[in-house]
């Protein structure tokens, strides 16, 4: 009787038992373990903060204890002020980020795809990028006033430049063979940008968005330091003027937490966008 041959593509290893299960791939690092490792340093800093504030290294005015800061937050929460500060600041960041990132994406696409645009407009935008955030505040107050428009505009300025810089630089290095192949199938203009070029540079676009979001929070503080009556930036200034270091530290902690949460949400979008387009 003839023994049936194994398929040509199968690799036969001597010594393996017949019918043995395939080796199981090593499991990926568990998300909970990764999260736990990421919390180790904040926990250590919290313990150090407690030790420094309770052993007399710093006075209660210089560095209130974590429990004191927590009590200050509970007091603002009971008055209904805490969520107002957080909500207004988050609203300003969201509006400014969407406006600035949208304009940065449009300008970056134009500069990245046009040699004439890069030569004519690129140097000017690069010069404006070097202007510090606080330098825009007096001008915006003079032009727009103390309302919400000036604050959102300043946040939008902060969000514009990271997106513009990453998108324009990435589009200039898209594979030419990929573009020629798309044009051979009749893909041109805006359709070429949205279906071929932007998906090709999607990781760079997401990196620019994450940098823009971080800049938006930084510029928010600059916007609320002057001419604001609510928001976390106003809480910083008001706490400093009134000697409330506990509330000042509370505002700093809230800015850090909100910045991290918004970046984490953008990270979820990054995974979805890269999987869908990249």
């Amino acid at each position: 009787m003839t023994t049936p041959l194994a398929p040509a593509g199968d690799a036969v290893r001597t010594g393996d038992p017949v019918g043995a299960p395939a080796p199981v791939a090593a499991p990926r690092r568990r998300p909970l373990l990764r999260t736990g490792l990421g919390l180790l340093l904040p926990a250590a800093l919290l313990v150090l903060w407690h030790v420094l504030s309770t052993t007399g290294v710093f006075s209660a005015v210089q560095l209130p204890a974590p429990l004191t800061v927590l009590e200050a937050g509970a007091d603002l929460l009971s008055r209904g002020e805490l969520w107002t500060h957080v909500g207004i600041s988050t609203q300003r960041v969201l509006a400014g980020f969407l406006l600035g990132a949208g304009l940065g994406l449009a300008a970056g696409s134009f500069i990245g795809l046009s040699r004439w645009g890069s030569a004519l407009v690129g140097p000017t935008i690069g010069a404006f990028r070097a202007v510090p955030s606080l330098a825009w505040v007096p001008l915006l107050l003079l032009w727009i006033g103390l309302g919400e428009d000036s604050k959102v505009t300043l946040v939008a300025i902060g969000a514009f430049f990271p997106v513009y810089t990453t998108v324009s630089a990435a589009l200039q290095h898209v594979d030419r063979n990929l573009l020629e192949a798309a044009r051979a199938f009749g893909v041109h203009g805006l359709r070429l940008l949205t279906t071929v070029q932007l998906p090709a540079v999607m990781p760079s676009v997401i990196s620019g968005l994450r940098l823009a979001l971080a800049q938006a929070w930084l510029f928010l503080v600059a916007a609320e330091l002057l001419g604001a009556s609510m928001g976390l930036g106003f809480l910083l200034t008001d706490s400093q003027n009134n000697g409330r270091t506990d509330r000042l530290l509370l505002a700093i902690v809230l800015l850090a937490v909100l910045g991290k949460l918004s970046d984490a949400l953008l990270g979820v979008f990054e995974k979805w966008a890269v999987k869908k387009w990249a």
Side-chain angles (χ1 to χ4, degrees):
M1 182 180 295
T2 304
T3 302
L5 298 176
D10 292 347
V12 179
R13 297 179 296 177
T14 59
D16 287 352
V18 179
V24 180
R28 295 181 179 179
R29 182 178 296 177
R30 296 178 180 179
L32 290 179
L33 178 60
R34 186 178 182 89
T35 302
L37 292 175
L39 292 175
L40 285 179
L41 183 57
L45 292 176
L46 185 62
V47 172
L48 179 62
W49 177 7
H50 176 75
V51 171
L52 293 176
S53 60
T54 56
T55 57
V57 177
F58 292 97
S59 66
V61 176
Q62 293 176 316
L63 186 65
L67 183 59
T68 304
V69 174
L70 186 62
E71 291 173 349
D75 178 60
L76 288 175
L77 187 61
S78 64
R79 299 181 181 183
E81 299 179 12
L82 184 62
W83 291 120
T84 302
H85 289 303
V86 171
I88 288 179
S89 292
T90 303
Q91 178 182 337
R92 289 166 178 164
V93 166
L94 181 61
F97 171 74
L98 293 177
L99 177 61
L103 292 175
L105 182 61
S109 300
F110 171 70
I111 299 299
L113 298 176
S114 172
R115 294 182 179 179
W116 285 104
S118 178
L120 291 174
V121 185
T124 303
I125 296 181
F128 281 120
R129 183 178 56 187
V131 178
S133 59
L134 290 177
W136 294 103
V137 173
L139 191 61
L140 291 177
L141 292 178
L142 179 63
W143 285 355
I144 306 177
L146 296 175
E148 288 296 305
D149 291 343
S150 61
K151 299 173 182 60
V152 172
T153 301
L154 185 59
V155 174
I157 291 174
F160 171 85
F161 290 106
V163 178
Y164 159 78
T165 303
T166 54
V167 171
S168 61
L171 285 175
Q172 292 175 354
H173 297 88
V174 175
D175 188 359
R176 299 296 178 186
N177 294 327
L178 180 64
L179 299 180
E180 292 300 328
R183 292 190 181 100
F185 284 94
V187 181
H188 299 280
L190 184 60
R191 186 183 172 195
L192 179 66
L193 172 66
T194 57
T195 60
V196 177
Q197 291 168 307
L198 284 180
V201 298
M202 185 55 64
S204 298
V205 173
I206 299 297
S207 297
L209 290 175
R210 300 184 81 160
L211 290 173
L213 185 59
Q215 282 285 95
W217 284 106
L218 293 175
F219 274 60
L220 168 79
V221 175
E224 292 182 341
L225 284 178
L226 296 175
S229 58
M230 296 297 294
L232 293 176
F234 165 78
L235 184 60
L236 281 170
T237 306
D238 184 67
S239 301
Q240 179 187 11
N241 295 334
N242 295 323
R244 293 296 304 269
T245 316
D246 51 351
R247 291 186 178 183
L248 191 150
L249 287 174
L250 175 66
I252 293 175
V253 171
L254 287 175
L255 285 169
V257 171
L258 290 173
K260 179 57 183 175
L261 287 177
S262 58
D263 182 74
L265 291 176
L266 198 54
V268 174
F269 170 75
E270 176 184 10
K271 294 180 180 178
W272 175 81
V274 171
K275 183 178 179 180
K276 182 176 178 61
W277 288 309

